Amino acid sequence: MGNELHELLRSLRVWDPAVTALPDFDPATAPADPLALFTAWFAQAVAAGQVEPHAMSLATADEEGLPDVRTVMLHGADASGWSFATHVDSAKGRQLTARPYAALGFYWPAQGRQVRVRGPVTAAPAQEGQADLHARSTGALAAALTGRQSQVLGSAEELARASGSAWERARHEPDAPVPTWTLYQLRPDRVEFFQGDAARRHVRLNYRRTKEGWVQELLWP
């Protein structure tokens, strides 16, 4: 099995021209604020047909400093920061309570692009979290109402019963409160934009926050 995996990995290539178009990126034309560039790149990813461009990796650390990562959805990005949501008593919620600092990673292979965001995280006011939840789909509310995220599950039947009840409530009570649901905002200290290049001369533009504002710097690939 190990050899089969090795051979399979060796057979794969990145940025197949059949599905990937690597755009030019001149960092000299980049805006002063990373949010503006992120917004432009996000729109371009959507236009390029990138599947689920709002999916991102969220990296946190537990009380012992051990890293953890998972895929979540971006809920928004503005002057307050990049936002996502979860239960405050979930694994990632507890980790953010213990160590309120995180990193985000976006990968858009349709254009060979990555964006990395890192900074402190704060919880938005409860009413903002509830408003964000109730603006989403019935399924999102049902999942939030099911709760107990990351806890040990006794059986699939137990999940089916809890989820069924949650779906029923979500359909009939679209404004049902979920007290543990929390909207988090990451205020970036650093934002890096990576543009892949076929000759491996990748462009990496890093924004670093200082007291005077954002500083731009190029990084070696």
Side-chain angles (χ1 to χ4, degrees):
M1 181 61 72
N3 288 336
E4 292 178 8
L5 176 59
H6 179 73
E7 292 302 319
L8 181 59
L9 289 170
R10 295 270 297 184
S11 72
L12 298 175
R13 294 294 180 268
V14 297
W15 305 330
D16 182 348
V19 295
T20 300
L22 299 175
D24 292 328
F25 172 49
D26 181 0
T29 66
D33 189 318
L35 178 60
L37 183 55
F38 178 84
T39 301
W41 274 29
F42 187 87
Q44 291 165 17
V46 173
Q50 176 62 56
V51 176
E52 297 185 354
H54 57 320
M56 61 186 187
S57 297
L58 167 65
T60 55
D62 63 17
E63 293 182 354
E64 298 178 353
L66 298 176
D68 208 348
V69 67
R70 75 288 287 165
T71 301
V72 300
M73 296 298 170
L74 177 69
H75 285 212
D78 56 27
S80 298
W82 275 248
S83 61
F84 57 92
T86 188
H87 293 280
V88 71
D89 57 355
S90 68
K92 53 186 172 294
R94 295 194 304 272
Q95 290 170 0
L96 288 169
T97 297
R99 292 175 176 265
Y101 200 90
L104 309 175
F106 297 85
Y107 179 46
W108 299 322
Q111 295 182 300
R113 286 176 166 175
Q114 299 182 56
V115 181
R116 301 168 61 202
V117 187
R118 188 176 72 182
V121 177
T122 57
Q127 62 269 25
E128 291 185 22
Q130 295 301 297
D132 175 79
L133 175 60
H134 296 137
R136 303 181 74 77
S137 67
T138 301
L141 177 58
L145 286 167
T146 301
R148 289 176 278 185
Q149 190 177 65
S150 301
Q151 296 181 25
V152 175
L153 175 65
S155 67
E157 292 74 18
E158 183 181 359
L159 172 60
R161 288 192 298 271
S163 177
S165 297
W167 270 95
E168 186 72 13
R169 186 180 179 192
R171 291 190 184 101
H172 291 89
E173 193 181 343
D175 293 327
V178 184
T180 58
W181 191 255
T182 304
L183 183 68
Y184 291 95
Q185 294 173 327
L186 186 157
R187 183 175 185 270
D189 289 333
R190 299 171 68 95
V191 185
E192 181 194 325
F193 295 84
F194 172 103
Q195 174 61 69
D197 178 83
R200 299 302 191 265
R201 292 188 287 269
H202 313 309
V203 179
R204 295 177 62 187
L205 175 62
N206 186 59
Y207 288 78
R208 179 168 46 85
R209 189 190 295 274
T210 69
K211 293 180 179 179
E212 291 73 32
W214 289 104
V215 171
Q216 298 181 17
E217 51 199 7
L218 294 176
L219 305 178
W220 281 82

